[in-house]
Amino acid sequence: MMDTAVNGAAAEAAGAAEVMDGAVAGPGRSIPVARRAAEEPSEANGDAPEQVAAGASASHDPCAHGFLPERPPVRSMIGTWTRLDAMARAAAVAPDREAAIALVERARRADELSALRQRVSRLSVRNAEAAAMRIAVIAVSCGWCGLDPQAPAAREVADEAFLELWAAIAHRIDHDQFVALPTLALHNWAPERKPRRHIPIDQLARTEPLVPIVRWAGEGQPLSRLDRLMLAATRLEAHGIWLFRLAETLAGRSPDDCSTPTALRRLVRVHHSLRTQLLSEAGELAAAPAATPQQRAVLTALAEQGALEPPVLQAAEAVLGVGGRRMGEGRRQLLRRHLPAQHRAWLSAMDRHCAPVRTLAHRGGPDAAVYREAQESLIALRRTYTALVQAAARPAEAPLPKAA
């Protein structure tokens, strides 16, 4: 029932976005931001126009499925890559970092890592993304998520053969900083049962029961809180598709445009819907087994690297800013470095094209009040997500004292 309410509010927001797009599109406004991101250089990342165009291809449209992959993630790897899959599954349930590192060293001694390294170039992009997710699981399990696999200093900390495989996968998908929540969540899920018909991926992730591909809990055991958190991030992204569409509507809009406050009110409703979605996830997460020391170490390491920010919240921040002011440029790019190049380019385009709307922060009147309400609803959404992360990291409660 709660999911129906969320979908209803979100559908209304999407409908409003589409109506407003048709109503205000005109000369200079007919190019979608996704396409503008491909045509304009990303100043924050130092990308040349040709590089951005290659990364932000016309086939990627955030309005179609947000930052979810275009197709469901690869559930089962085949051939030699089954060894990487088995290693990731074992590392995820390892009792501590030392046990996870021992798995990697064992694979290196058996020449499994070098065999995989030689086959990276043969992977399709979709299978390379699947391999990257498994590399990310192993890296965070071993406590290596903050390493640059190509840095000489990394070889003093991590297994050299694993670093070479990591670097090769990063080169294959053109994404150096993929060991983060977007990879661990958005490429680590599958529908519990095969849908009876083809449906868009965001609808699939919203409406079908999801299971993790690589579990942070042993087979036959209930999903851990870390599993629940990652699935919650996936569903948040799927529900956030309406936020992406409203963001496109606001891009390039004048703050004095009569449709701007309408779009902002719709954005507030989407924020409330996303917050309701997170609150519904909190119940399932709280009922899951308490986090183990290893799982808490994983969350702590990701948090220290700024690698726990859901992409959909970064999209909202690019439109509105946070708390009435823009975050520091360095901080914003620190969070975005964990996203693929085409996603970073889209967010940079949003920074530029939503700048006029953000001038409402310094004005008075009813339109400025609506803008501030949108900011406040985003802050509340962020706090709810932070509370979910804290709940996921909560250790086992101390046993209650026995009654006398």
Side-chain angles (χ1 to χ4, degrees):
M1 186 173 180
M2 182 176 292
D3 192 58
T4 303
V6 171
N7 286 336
E12 186 177 355
E18 291 167 2
V19 170
M20 285 185 287
D21 280 340
V24 302
R29 291 189 186 170
S30 58
I31 303 176
V33 170
R35 186 172 147 204
R36 286 198 295 258
E39 294 175 349
E40 299 179 15
S42 176
E43 298 170 2
N45 298 315
D47 295 327
E50 297 81 10
Q51 292 172 322
V52 177
S57 62
S59 64
H60 179 81
D61 179 7
C63 285
H65 49 71
F67 285 172
L68 289 166
E70 296 184 16
R71 296 167 60 193
V74 174
R75 189 166 189 165
S76 300
M77 303 199 76
I78 62 174
T80 308
W81 293 97
T82 58
R83 296 300 306 139
L84 181 66
D85 185 76
M87 195 189 317
R89 293 175 190 274
V93 297
D96 50 41
R97 289 178 174 177
E98 289 71 21
I101 292 172
L103 291 168
V104 176
E105 292 176 345
R106 194 177 307 132
R108 187 247 308 154
R109 288 195 298 269
D111 288 332
E112 293 173 357
L113 298 177
S114 58
L116 292 173
R117 167 68 185 84
Q118 294 168 10
R119 289 169 172 78
V120 169
S121 61
R122 306 176 194 175
L123 287 173
S124 66
V125 173
R126 186 161 175 258
N127 279 285
E129 289 174 344
M133 182 272 287
R134 289 154 174 86
I135 290 285
V137 169
I138 297 169
V140 296
S141 298
C142 294
W144 298 337
C145 64
L147 297 180
D148 177 351
Q150 296 185 345
R155 302 181 186 277
E156 300 176 6
V157 179
D159 183 275
E160 186 170 347
F162 180 76
L163 289 173
E164 290 177 355
L165 174 61
W166 181 350
I169 291 289
H171 179 74
R172 181 70 184 86
I173 64 175
D174 191 25
H175 185 190
D176 292 332
Q177 302 285 341
F178 64 81
V179 181
L181 178 129
T183 299
L184 291 166
L186 303 188
H187 295 277
N188 190 25
W189 62 274
E192 191 173 33
R193 60 176 182 266
K194 185 176 181 180
R196 287 174 293 182
R197 60 185 178 85
H198 173 75
I199 57 178
I201 189 168
D202 59 290
Q203 183 180 343
L204 176 70
R206 281 197 308 273
T207 59
E208 292 290 327
L210 304 182
V211 294
I213 296 173
V214 175
R215 294 164 50 106
W216 296 94
E219 289 296 329
Q221 297 179 7
L223 293 182
S224 69
R225 291 187 181 183
L226 185 52
D227 288 317
R228 295 287 183 187
L229 175 65
M230 295 300 177
L231 291 177
T234 300
R235 282 187 284 262
L236 182 70
E237 204 70 23
H239 283 281
I241 182 63
W242 318 114
L243 188 149
F244 283 92
R245 293 173 183 174
L246 282 167
E248 290 269 12
T249 299
L250 287 164
R253 189 65 46 81
S254 165
D256 299 318
D257 194 308
C258 62
S259 62
T260 296
T262 303
L264 288 170
R265 289 189 191 96
R266 298 296 183 185
L267 197 58
V268 170
R269 296 188 66 177
V270 171
H271 287 163
H272 288 323
S273 296
L274 295 180
R275 188 161 178 259
T276 300
Q277 174 63 27
L278 284 181
L279 291 172
S280 72
E281 303 280 357
E284 290 186 358
L285 191 145
T292 65
Q294 171 70 344
Q295 292 164 3
R296 293 201 306 276
V298 166
L299 282 171
T300 300
L302 291 173
E304 288 174 350
Q305 297 298 318
L308 274 175
E309 179 81 354
V312 67
L313 297 190
Q314 296 190 49
E317 190 274 332
V319 175
L320 296 171
V322 175
R325 61 180 178 84
R326 297 297 297 167
M327 294 176 67
E329 190 70 23
R331 175 64 175 168
R332 194 161 67 247
Q333 295 310 317
L334 177 67
L335 296 176
R336 291 180 184 174
R337 65 179 178 164
H338 303 297
L339 298 174
Q342 67 269 29
H343 298 172
R344 296 197 306 269
W346 188 89
L347 290 171
S348 294
M350 276 294 164
D351 282 334
R352 295 190 296 275
H353 297 299
C354 289
V357 172
R358 290 196 296 272
T359 63
L360 285 170
H362 311 292
R363 297 189 182 190
D367 292 355
V370 172
Y371 177 80
R372 284 190 285 273
E373 183 183 1
Q375 284 191 318
E376 289 167 2
S377 65
L378 174 57
I379 291 170
L381 176 60
R382 281 181 177 275
R383 287 175 176 166
T384 304
Y385 172 74
T386 299
L388 200 69
V389 173
Q390 292 170 346
R394 197 165 296 143
E397 300 294 339
L400 293 174
K402 293 182 180 180

